[in-house]
Amino acid sequence: MTDLPMHFESGAPRAERIIALELNELCPDLLERWMAEGRLPNFRALYEESAVHVTSADVTEPAQLEPWIQWYSIHTGLPYEEHRVFHLTDGARAGHPDIYRMLMAAGRRVASFASMNVAPFSAPGSVYLGDPWTEDGNASPAELNIYNRFVSHNVREYSNAAGGLGKAEQARFLAFMASHGLSARTVFQILAQLADEKRRDPALSWKRVALLDRLQFDVFRSTWRRHRPHYASFFANSIAHLQHSYWRHMDPNAFTVRPDAREMAIYGDAIRFGYEAMDKLVGEFRTFARREGATLVFMTALSQQPFLRHEETGGQHFHRLHDVRGFLKSVGIACSDVDPTMTHQYLASFASAAEHEAARARLAAFVLAGEGPEAGRAIFDFPAIRAAGHGLYLGCQIARKTAPDTPVHDEATGRTVPFGSLFYQIEAIKSGRHHPDGCLWIQTGAHRRFEERPSILDILPTMLELLGVPTPAGLRGSSLLPHLAAV
């Protein structure tokens, strides 16, 4: 057994501090493949000093295999059928006790660093940073809002060339980073990435997702040292994004719609690049955790597999409004707020149910015209499960590649406009979909791989017991510590 912070009391493992690496949707089989090839030495090192499990999601229904649902289940210990949190923005208002609140009630300091769908909290010595899709200016300490707003805007509008921030906002972000842990290594990688795009191909900008992880690690490390939380979670979505976008480039033979030679040259190694970049970050986390006396727990909630629906019609494409606020205003919809959530979807907020229904009816008037296979189809769709309050989720449901000059007819006014004047197409075709297997590696100091597959609902009681905090009654999950005691 290696010299790690976890210790054993009466045969039961205990941890003084835990850093939970929430690396969204990494795949157990891809980790195994690339560890065996020697490409992921830091993952391999963590694997060799951990109790290793493949977890199962708490649901089987594909519509509920969403990370914002499954991470909420992990954080609360509740299955979806009990918590009913379906949308990415629902977690902030659902009101269930989660691991952060349970630990704070027990007198522990906690940090949620961009963990998905976590309700905001504020307490002395604890840290809350909203995930990029639900950031609402409520970070704690408040100074983290500068970082959170910048990252959130760039994540939500990464595909929108017209969605950049102004120079003043960029300057505030740079000043924040300079005083919150920005490392020379991160600066070097940023400059190298920008030079590579300029020298080789601007399309290589997809690699910037790894830079966000580096920036977040720098801020996390600086913030952790100031507050030294007993439990801290660090969420990263870069690999999930790469897998959704470029699985067909990693495994073109699995798909009918296959990338051409230029696409393969640019994106063929995108997913492996993401894993290798994350591996370097895991190495830094191992060094940091050992130095600070913290135990690492690596978890993924879900994984991915090839997405093969719509292949017979050219694959699933996503279209986003150029300017969602401007569009809604132009068609007479006055909402109190509207924000992008995921990919092609937005959440608009209204003051009353009547305004909600009027907006939905107004948007339903837009249909594709012309002679194509989608002619007559409504442009917008609305999820069956309604948002909290009077919110309305909306998005373009046209999945086929659609020419910019395709006419869009507004049945409410009789006007027709080109599709491309309202929407732009996100470049990547959807290639990866969610799979219920996930990773759970608990850094015990010795390696053991468990064949039994625990539920993700077992993670919360395990973390609580590791930190010596009683598990609330009524949870379905069970602590894995009795098994770890035998490691």
Side-chain angles (χ1 to χ4, degrees), residues 143-356:
E143 65 193 40
L144 292 173
N145 282 314
I146 298 172
Y147 171 85
N148 214 16
R149 289 192 191 109
F150 183 90
V151 170
S152 176
H153 180 88
N154 281 280
V155 168
R156 296 185 196 188
E157 298 290 351
Y158 78 93
S159 63
N160 190 349
L165 289 170
K167 291 183 178 179
E169 192 75 22
Q170 295 178 31
R172 280 192 290 272
F173 176 74
L174 290 174
F176 171 88
M177 289 302 306
S179 62
H180 287 77
L182 181 64
S183 65
R185 179 177 295 185
T186 299
V187 172
F188 174 80
Q189 290 193 12
I190 292 171
L191 294 176
Q193 170 65 31
L194 296 176
D196 204 32
E197 292 175 25
K198 185 174 183 179
R199 183 178 65 253
R200 295 174 57 200
D201 194 326
L204 293 172
S205 60
W206 63 265
K207 293 185 176 182
R208 294 184 184 185
V209 294
L211 299 179
L212 172 58
D213 294 341
R214 283 224 53 86
L215 289 167
Q216 186 151 298
F217 173 72
D218 287 349
V219 178
F220 174 89
R221 179 170 52 189
S222 172
T223 305
W224 196 98
R225 283 173 171 160
R226 294 181 189 183
H227 299 278
R228 294 188 59 80
H230 298 94
Y231 182 88
S233 58
F234 176 94
F235 182 87
N237 193 60
S238 58
I239 290 176
H241 163 74
L242 293 173
Q243 290 173 163
H244 278 305
S245 300
Y246 305 121
W247 199 292
R248 74 181 61 242
H249 300 81
M250 179 180 69
D251 184 17
N253 291 333
F255 296 85
T256 302
V257 181
R258 296 179 181 176
D260 58 26
R262 170 170 165 74
E263 285 185 72
M264 288 298 296
I266 297 173
Y267 306 114
D269 294 328
I271 294 176
R272 194 181 71 196
F273 166 86
Y275 276 76
E276 291 175 345
M278 190 64 72
D279 181 76
K280 295 181 175 64
L281 209 60
V282 166
E284 294 196 54
F285 265 110
R286 287 185 69 245
T287 300
F288 175 72
R290 187 184 297 270
R291 183 179 298 133
E292 301 295 338
T295 296
L296 293 180
V297 178
F298 160 52
M299 59 186 85
T300 70
L302 295 166
S303 57
Q304 289 192 31
Q305 60 186 315
F307 177 77
L308 301 176
R309 286 180 57 202
H310 305 289
E311 287 296 292
E312 72 284 354
T313 58
Q316 180 168 345
H317 296 261
F318 293 108
H319 302 92
R320 297 185 79 229
L321 288 161
H322 291 288
D323 178 4
V324 61
R325 295 176 186 273
F327 169 75
L328 294 178
K329 183 178 180 180
S330 72
V331 299
I333 296 175
C335 56
S336 56
D337 197 14
V338 61
D339 285 301
T341 53
M342 296 294 286
T343 314
H344 63 305
Q345 195 175 70
Y346 305 87
L347 173 60
S349 301
F350 297 92
S352 68
E355 290 183 358
H356 171 282

Side-chain angles (χ1 to χ4, degrees), residues 414-435:
R415 293 178 62 243
T416 299
V417 296
F419 183 83
S421 69
L422 302 176
F423 299 94
Y424 68 92
Q425 179 182 302
I426 294 178
E427 182 179 355
I429 306 172
K430 183 175 179 178
S431 299
R433 69 184 178 97
H434 298 130
H435 188 280

Side-chain angles (χ1 to χ4, degrees), residues 9 33 41 67 118 211 294 375 390 419 426:
E9 296 177 0
R33 180 202 306 180
V118 172
L211 299 179
H390 304 301
F419 183 83
I426 294 178

Side-chain angles (χ1 to χ4, degrees), residues 120-132:
F121 58 81
S122 180
S126 289
V127 178
Y128 170 79
L129 188 76
D131 68 62

Side-chain angles (χ1 to χ4, degrees), residues 28 52-56 437-440 449-454:
V52 173
H53 306 78
V54 174
T55 57
S56 297
D437 287 356
C439 299
L440 175 63
R449 179 171 177 168
F450 291 83
E451 296 304 321
E452 309 85 31
R453 296 196 171 199

